[in-house]
């Protein structure tokens, strides 16, 4: 049996490991268009800050592939898939035959139309890959005025800003929404986050967008023009607006696409023996009760694991996932889970706030459907399990508001997975490493 996996990141490697658990002898080929072994994408800003190196950013050892009998093909780009002949068409290389295929290509940066933006300029780019961070590191050494503009105030934009600031640049975030992390935070928590950024030398221009980038004779940026007409100096311009599913190469494959790759509960696509998972895949959103693309690491791991288990012939179903983000901005920890702003008038919001801590809980009747924790994120793993499992806990809202999240587990029995290890959703316990599983009584 030959398994081919497109994608050398969280979904792809989780798939490979699940296959190897149940099939000890099958051929597993992992291909990636990047030239690095598996690295932690959320940590590329840490590389710029000097907190991670070329070695420590990699979360798999050098001998990981050999130990697991995986064949790694790096620098190989899949340009199309012939699902009839069961072949992956590889750029500049021979076609790759498969018996079963997993597609985990991740996302590709979304670049809005901006007059003057040129990703080939050494002083402009995006911020989703390790090579992007290396490019910005080199660019920072060549700047004169040390002014950087980051377009986009989401997670990508904020981490890019932290990294550039650590390189000694003054950074301005330009965000179209009225606050940073606008899709995850509310007005209060967004303002607290912006103040923390401002305090550390990062300015925020919200409700704005870049309409033009002025260039010098070499095609590098000198300034940007905002929607309001204001002009800001710029040596470096980074677009960190977000990502879209990397699915262009699937055109003509027969695989059903609707914004992303459509899969069933086993993570199989509309084509037999072809599976998918990760940031390019449409899954069931358990909070919003509809198909959705939720591009976060814990779900990518879980989707890959379910897909790989089924590919190896052991039946598993994926119940769906929910939005969950965990980030730290200059020592300010932030966790958002599920619905952070009410979806309708029947949902109720409860808030606690003091100088350093903000807690917000969104309830639909007696069921907790979302939370924001800022400043103190203790118990976030418990909250994610409560929300994921749709448990009734309105009677505990005052305890939760006061930070006593653990009160709920004294009276309840359910499983919680350590979100820092990538297990934020309920699954088959035997599929998870022992250290990631905790029973609360």
């Amino acid at each position: 049996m030959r398994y081919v996996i497109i994608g050398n990141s969280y979904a792809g490697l989780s798939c490979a490991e699940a296959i190897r658990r149940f099939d000890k002898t099958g051929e597993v080929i992992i291909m990636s268009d990047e030239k690095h072994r598996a690295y932690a994408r959320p940590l590329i800003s840490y590389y710029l800050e000097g907190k991670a190196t070329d070695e420590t950013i990699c979360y798999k050892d050098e001998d990981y592939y050999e130990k697991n009998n995986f064949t790694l093909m790096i620098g190989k780009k899949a340009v199309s898939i012939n699902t009839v002949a069961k072949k992956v068409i590889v750029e500049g290389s021979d076609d790759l035959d498969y018996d079963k295929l997993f597609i985990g290509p991740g996302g590709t940066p979304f670049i809005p139309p901006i007059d003057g933006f040129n990703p080939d300029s050494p002083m402009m780019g995006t911020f989703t890959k390790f090579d992007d961070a290396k490019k910005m590191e080199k660019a920072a050494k060549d700047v004169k005025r040390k002014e950087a503009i980051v377009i986009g105030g989401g997670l990508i934009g904020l981490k890019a800003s932290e990294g550039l600031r650590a390189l000694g640049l003054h950074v301005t975030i330009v965000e179209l929404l009225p606050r940073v992390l606008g899709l995850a935070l509310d007005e209060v928590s967004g303002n607290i986050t912006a103040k923390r950024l401002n305090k550390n030398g990062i300015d925020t221009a919200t409700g704005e967008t870049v309409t033009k980038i002025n260039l010098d004779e070499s095609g590098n940026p000198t300034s940007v023009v905002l929607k309001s007409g204001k002009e800001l100096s710029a040596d470096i311009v980074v677009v960190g607006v977000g990502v879209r599913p990397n699915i262009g190469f699937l055109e003509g494959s027969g695989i059903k696409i609707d914004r992303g790759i459509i899969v069933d509960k086993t993570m199989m696509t509309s084509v037999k023996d072809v599976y998918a998972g990760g940031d390019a895949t449409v899954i069931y959103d358990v909070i919003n009760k509809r198909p959705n693309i939720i591009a976060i690491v814990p779900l990518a791991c879980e989707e890959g694991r379910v897909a790989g288990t089924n590919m190896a012939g052991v039946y598993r179903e994926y119940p769906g996932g929910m939005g969950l983000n965990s980030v730290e901005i200059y020592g300010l920890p932030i966790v958002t889970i599920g619905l952070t702003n009410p979806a309708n008038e029947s949902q109720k919001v409860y808030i606690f706030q003091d100088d350093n801590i903000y807690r917000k809980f969104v309830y639909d009747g007696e069921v907790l459907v979302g939370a924001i924790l800022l400043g103190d994120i203790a118990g976030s793993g418990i909250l994610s399990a409560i929300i994921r499992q749709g448990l009734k806990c309105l009677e505990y809202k005052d305890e939760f508001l006061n930070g006593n999240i653990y009160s709920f587990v004294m009276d309840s029995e359910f499983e919680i997975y350590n979100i820092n290890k990538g297990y934020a959703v309920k699954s088959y316990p035997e599929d998870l490493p022992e250290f990631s599983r905790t029973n609360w009584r």
Side-chain angles (χ1 to χ4, degrees):
M1 178 72 72
R2 173 184 275 189
Y3 306 92
V4 172
I5 295 171
I6 298 175
N8 182 37
S9 194
Y10 299 103
L13 295 190
S14 294
C15 175
E17 290 169 9
I19 290 171
R20 185 56 75 224
R21 179 184 174 198
F22 295 105
D23 185 342
K24 305 297 185 185
T25 60
E27 183 182 11
V28 178
I29 300 173
I30 302 168
M31 60 180 297
S32 170
D33 59 356
E34 295 189 73
K35 296 182 179 180
H36 310 283
R37 72 178 192 268
Y39 63 90
R41 290 177 187 270
L43 300 187
I44 60 174
S45 65
Y46 283 30
Y47 175 80
L48 296 183
E49 295 175 59
K51 297 177 181 177
T53 66
D54 288 80
E55 283 300 313
T56 60
I57 199 171
C58 295
Y59 65 93
K60 297 297 184 184
D61 294 333
E62 253 188 292
D63 62 354
Y64 162 79
Y65 301 93
E66 183 181 357
K67 278 185 175 179
N68 288 281
N69 196 21
F70 297 152
T71 299
L72 176 63
M73 297 173 56
I74 58 175
K76 300 295 183 181
K77 182 179 180 180
V79 294
S80 64
I81 297 173
N82 185 335
T83 54
V84 176
K86 287 194 166 185
K87 292 178 181 291
V88 178
I89 313 305
V90 184
E91 185 177 69
S93 187
D94 295 336
D95 297 348
L96 193 57
D97 296 323
Y98 67 84
D99 294 305
K100 294 188 179 181
L101 174 67
F102 177 82
I103 304 170
T108 186
F110 169 63
I111 302 175
I114 302 172
D115 184 13
F117 181 75
N118 176 15
D120 294 327
S121 163
M123 313 304 285
M124 290 188 271
T126 55
F127 200 75
T128 59
K129 295 184 175 183
F130 195 14
D131 286 343
D132 295 333
K134 288 178 173 289
K135 180 180 180 180
M136 290 302 108
E137 180 185 40
K138 185 176 185 301
K141 295 176 182 177
D142 299 328
V143 299
K144 297 177 181 178
R145 295 165 300 174
K146 294 192 175 296
E147 293 287 343
I149 301 294
V150 175
I151 303 171
L155 283 172
I156 295 172
L158 264 60
K159 299 313 287 184
S161 299
E162 276 192 307
L164 290 167
R165 181 69 185 129
L167 295 175
L169 280 77
H170 172 256
V171 182
T172 301
I173 296 171
V174 180
E175 169 55 48
L176 182 61
L177 294 176
R179 58 185 175 272
V180 295
L181 294 177
L183 297 179
L185 300 182
D186 58 11
E187 183 177 0
V188 174
S189 53
N191 288 339
I192 295 171
T193 303
K195 288 179 181 177
R196 183 60 62 98
L197 291 166
N198 300 160
K199 183 180 178 181
N200 286 275
I202 298 176
D203 292 338
T204 51
T206 54
E208 282 278 19
T209 188
V210 173
T211 59
K212 183 181 180 181
I213 301 172
N214 294 318
L215 308 174
D216 63 17
E217 62 277 2
S218 300
N220 296 323
T222 59
S223 65
V224 300
V225 179
L226 305 185
K227 179 181 64 174
S228 63
K230 186 176 181 180
E231 186 173 354
L232 301 174
S233 295
D235 297 296
I236 292 175
V237 176
V238 174
V239 175
V241 174
V243 296
R244 287 180 171 176
N246 180 18
I247 52 177
F249 71 102
L250 298 179
E251 186 176 350
S253 66
I255 296 170
K256 186 177 180 181
I257 302 291
D258 185 0
R259 296 183 301 125
I261 305 169
I262 302 301
V263 294
D264 63 16
K265 289 183 178 181
T266 68
M267 303 306 296
M268 189 168 75
T269 70
S270 58
V271 175
K272 188 176 184 296
D273 294 332
V274 179
Y275 295 74
D279 296 359
T281 305
V282 178
I283 63 167
Y284 182 67
D285 185 329
V286 299
I287 301 298
N288 292 296
K289 311 297 183 186
R290 59 178 173 81
N292 200 1
I293 296 172
I294 307 176
I296 59 174
V297 170
L299 299 193
C301 292
E302 194 62 32
E303 293 158 23
R305 191 174 296 111
V306 171
T309 302
N310 283 290
M311 290 168 72
V314 179
Y315 186 79
R316 288 285 187 268
E317 287 189 359
Y318 181 58
M322 65 180 183
L324 185 153
N325 287 293
S326 177
V327 66
E328 184 173 298
I329 306 296
Y330 290 111
L332 178 68
I334 303 169
V335 168
T336 66
I337 310 167
L339 286 180
T340 53
N341 291 295
N344 55 63
E345 293 182 357
S346 67
Q347 294 177 343
K348 303 298 182 184
V349 173
Y350 303 93
I351 290 173
F352 170 88
Q353 182 182 3
D354 67 12
D355 292 339
N356 303 305
I357 296 172
Y358 181 75
R359 301 188 188 99
K360 176 180 179 179
F361 301 100
V362 181
Y363 278 87
D364 191 342
E366 293 185 76
V367 177
L368 183 64
V369 293
I372 297 175
L373 301 180
L374 186 148
D376 177 10
I377 61 171
S380 55
I382 296 172
L383 287 174
S384 95
I386 292 171
I387 294 170
R388 173 67 187 83
Q389 296 175 43
L391 302 178
K392 295 180 179 180
C393 58
L394 182 61
E395 64 182 292
Y396 292 90
K397 67 176 176 59
D398 291 332
E399 295 276 6
F400 290 175
L401 287 170
N402 290 322
N404 188 14
I405 312 299
Y406 298 93
S407 61
F408 181 82
V409 303
M410 302 305 294
D411 305 320
S412 310
E413 181 178 315
F414 64 106
E415 286 202 341
I416 301 165
Y417 304 132
N418 184 341
I419 62 173
N420 293 321
K421 295 295 183 183
Y423 306 102
V425 294
K426 186 173 173 62
S427 180
Y428 295 87
E430 66 270 23
D431 288 347
L432 299 175
E434 191 66 33
F435 64 76
S436 71
R437 208 162 61 239
T438 304
N439 284 304
W440 293 87
R441 295 285 189 258

